[in-house]
Amino acid sequence: MTTAASKKLFIKTWGCQMNVYDSGRMADILAPLGYALADSPEGADMVILNTCHIREKATEKVFSDLGRLRPHKQAKAGEEPMIVAVAGCVAQAEGEEIARRAPWVDMVFGPQTYHQLPEMVARAHRQAGKPLVNTDFPVESKFDHLPGEQGVQGAAAFLSVQEGCDKFCTFCVVPYTRGAEYSRDVAGILGEARRLVAAGAREITLLGQNVNAFHGDGPDGSAWGLGRLIRALAEIDGLDRIRYTTSHPRDMDDDLIAAHSDVPQLMPFLHLPVQSGSDRILAAMNRKHDGDMYRRTVDRLRTARPDLALSSDFIVGFPGETDRDFADTLKLVTEIGFAQAYSFKYSARPGTPAAALDDQLPEAAKDERLQALQQLLWAQQAAFNQDMAGRVMPVLLDRQGRRPGQLQGRSPWMQSVHLDAPARLLGTVQPVRITEGKLLSLAGTIMLADAEEAA
C-alpha cells in the first residue's frame, strides 16, 4: 500500500543517462515510504547525491556538495533528522573514504544496491550517527526487486536494459563500479516499455554501459540480442521512436546493423565511441578494436541507413600519445564526420591500469590537442546543423521552451529544436520546417495546417 507523501526527497544526479534512470527508480522505491520529490535540499528529509566517477575531480565535487549539505542537516537536528546519502559510482569506488571524511553522511551505497533502499533507510534511522556503507555486488539483480514505475518521465523516456562492462578499457572505472555485464530479461523490458508508453512516452532510449552487448533471456528461452529486442519494441502501439546508448564498436553485430535498415522507429542517430584514431593508443587503451575496424563498422551502418548521423567520444593526451597518434585521430574524424561528439583530456582514475603508465603527458600538451580536436568537431557539428535549414522533419515536442509560447523538441538526429507552438502539442510528434541551424540547436516553424489536422 502506498503511503501518502509526507516527506521531502531531493536527488542530485551527475553523469550519464543511466544515472538519470537510476535516480528515477530510487524515487519510485522511496515513494511508498512517504517520500515525494523536492526541488531543493533545503528542509528535505532525505538528500541523495547520485554520483558519477567518469569526470575529472568527481570525488572532490562530491565532498564539496556534502560540505554545503551539512548546514541543512544541522538545521533539522531538532526535528525529524535529514538523511544524507551518497549513491552511484563514486560511492561504489570510495565508500569507506566518504564515510571517513564526511561522518555526517548516513548512507553510502553503490549502483547495484539501491533496490535495498527501504531496508537501508530503516537501518540508518536505527544507527543514527554511524554511516551505513553498502557497496556489495548482490547475487540477485536489482531489476528483479524494483517496484513498478511511479514517476512520469514524459514523452521521451529512458529504459535500462543492460548494465556493467566486461571490456576493461585501461582508462575506465566502470567495470569496478558497475560490475560485470548483465542483461535484463526481455519480458521485464517489454513490460516496462508498455507502461512507459501508456504513461505518455513516445520515444524510449535503451540504456546500458555496453548496450549493444545486450543478451537478455527471451520468452522463448533463447538469448535475444539488441536487434531482436528493438524489433519487439517496435511492435508496441504508440511507441514512435527508439534509440539506444552507449555502444561499443566490437558489439555491432549483423542483426543490429540490419535493424537500422528494417525498423523505421529506430532513429538515424548512433553514439559509437571510438576514443582515438591511433591503433597504438587504442591497443594501450585495451579498446579491442582498431581504426580500420571502426571505419568498416561505420560503412556497414551507413549502407544500412544512409541518413545515419554519428556521435562519438574522444580522449586526447592518453599516456604516451605522440603527435603522430593525435594526427591519426584528426584524420579519422575528418574521414568519418560526426554530427556530435564528446571530447576530453585524459585524467587518471585511481585504480585503473592507465593511471600507472609512464609517459603521462603535461597538461599544456593535452590542452592544445583538445582545442584542436574540438575546433574540428565543432566545425563538423555546425555544418551538419546548418545543412538542415529548409528541411521539414518530424520533431518530438517534449519540453517547454525558455519563453512563453515556445516548445522544445528533438529531431530524429538528436538535435535540440526550438519553435513557437501551442502547449497542447507538448508530447506529440509534429512536422517542423527548420529555419536555422546553429552550433548547438535548430530553430524551426511548425507546419500549422498539419498540426491542426493532427490535433
Side-chain angles (χ1 to χ4, degrees):
M1 179 180 295
T2 300
T3 305
S6 59
K7 303 175 185 177
K8 292 196 291 184
L9 167 67
F10 177 74
I11 304 179
K12 181 173 181 178
T13 307
W14 284 276
C16 65
Q17 292 165 325
M18 181 77 81
N19 268 19
V20 175
Y21 175 88
D22 285 348
S23 291
R25 299 317 311 273
M26 283 189 268
D28 290 338
I29 292 166
L30 291 168
L33 302 184
Y35 288 94
L37 285 173
D39 295 327
S40 78
E42 187 173 359
D45 298 282
M46 183 184 299
V47 175
I48 300 175
L49 303 181
N50 192 9
T51 62
C52 174
H53 213 303
I54 298 298
R55 300 293 180 258
E56 189 174 6
K57 299 180 181 177
T59 303
E60 293 310 312
K61 291 176 182 176
V62 172
F63 283 112
S64 178
D65 261 39
L66 287 173
R68 286 190 286 269
L69 284 173
R70 194 175 190 181
H72 293 294
K73 184 176 177 70
Q74 291 172 335
K76 283 180 64 68
E79 316 168 28
E80 179 78 13
M82 173 191 285
I83 293 178
V84 175
V86 181
C89 291
V90 173
Q92 182 69 42
E94 306 188 45
E96 296 295 340
E97 178 69 3
I98 293 170
R100 184 186 69 80
R101 287 180 56 182
W104 62 92
V105 172
D106 299 286
M107 302 189 307
V108 184
F109 56 95
Q112 303 302 330
T113 61
Y114 65 71
H115 61 292
Q116 300 171 356
L117 263 172
E119 176 187 349
M120 287 190 280
V121 170
R123 289 175 59 190
H125 281 299
R126 290 198 302 268
Q127 59 185 54
K130 181 181 179 182
L132 166 66
V133 179
N134 185 358
T135 53
D136 295 333
F137 286 98
V139 174
E140 77 279 2
S141 165
K142 66 185 179 187
F143 295 108
D144 295 335
H145 298 272
L146 295 178
E149 308 77 29
Q150 299 182 44
V152 178
Q153 293 195 39
F158 296 136
L159 199 169
S160 180
V161 302
Q162 183 273 342
E163 194 166 11
C165 182
D166 295 341
K167 300 295 190 293
F168 288 93
C169 298
T170 58
F171 56 82
C172 187
V173 298
V174 168
Y176 312 104
T177 58
R178 288 277 181 174
E181 288 181 358
Y182 170 83
S183 297
R184 294 178 63 184
D185 68 276
V186 171
I189 294 168
L190 294 178
E192 185 171 344
R194 293 187 187 100
R195 292 191 295 272
L196 289 170
V197 171
R202 304 291 297 276
E203 172 182 296
I204 290 178
T205 299
L206 308 178
L207 301 179
Q209 269 77 42
N210 282 309
V211 68
N212 57 338
F214 174 81
H215 54 278
D217 291 336
D220 59 357
S222 67
W224 286 29
L226 188 62
R228 189 172 181 185
L229 175 64
I230 287 170
R231 287 176 168 83
L233 288 165
E235 296 177 3
I236 297 176
D237 188 36
L239 180 56
D240 297 327
R241 295 181 167 197
I242 300 170
R243 304 183 189 273
Y244 61 92
T245 194
T246 291
S247 303
H248 194 286
R250 292 272 300 186
D251 295 318
M252 293 301 305
D253 62 31
D254 293 343
D255 186 55
L256 180 56
I257 291 174
H260 281 272
S261 174
D262 300 339
V263 181
Q265 293 94 330
L266 185 56
M267 291 292 96
F269 179 85
L270 176 62
H271 185 65
L272 190 64
V274 64
Q275 305 298 356
S276 174
S278 163
D279 290 349
R280 195 178 69 84
I281 295 300
L282 289 170
M285 289 177 168
N286 194 36
R287 285 291 292 169
K288 300 181 174 68
H289 67 82
D290 58 22
D292 283 344
M293 177 191 171
Y294 188 86
R295 291 177 176 90
R296 290 193 303 271
T297 301
V298 169
D299 286 344
R300 293 171 61 206
L301 283 161
R302 285 176 167 164
T303 297
R305 185 73 190 254
D307 64 341
L308 183 76
L310 287 172
S311 172
S312 195
D313 291 342
F314 294 91
I315 295 173
V316 302
F318 190 81
E321 182 186 71
T322 65
D323 289 341
R324 175 63 181 273
D325 294 322
F326 180 64
D328 286 342
T329 296
L330 296 179
K331 180 182 178 184
L332 181 141
V333 172
T334 301
E335 290 174 353
I336 290 180
F338 294 93
Q340 296 179 23
Y342 302 92
S343 50
F344 310 95
K345 295 184 297 182
Y346 170 77
S347 63
R349 295 292 178 264
T352 59
L357 292 176
D358 295 330
D359 206 7
Q360 303 281 335
L361 271 65
E363 288 299 311
K366 290 191 279 188
D367 287 338
E368 182 179 352
R369 289 176 184 174
L370 182 63
Q371 291 177 21
L373 175 61
Q374 287 183 339
Q375 285 181 359
L376 175 57
L377 291 169
W378 288 340
Q380 291 184 346
Q381 179 172 323
F384 182 79
N385 288 348
Q386 290 164 4
D387 189 54
M388 297 291 169
R391 298 178 59 176
V392 176
M393 64 179 64
V395 174
L396 174 60
L397 303 174
D398 62 346
R399 289 156 289 164
Q400 296 281 355
R402 294 183 178 178
R403 55 179 176 77
Q406 186 184 61
L407 296 182
Q408 290 180 241
R410 290 287 178 186
S411 78
W413 298 276
M414 276 297 287
Q415 298 132 310
S416 182
V417 183
H418 304 259
L419 64 151
D420 291 328
R424 62 186 174 77
L425 296 180
L426 190 66
T428 67
V429 178
Q430 297 293 340
V432 172
R433 184 178 299 279
I434 303 303
T435 57
E436 183 182 6
K438 306 174 185 179
L439 175 60
L440 299 177
S441 65
L442 307 177
T445 302
I446 196 162
M447 310 298 285
L448 287 176
D450 292 336
E452 292 297 333
E453 291 178 11

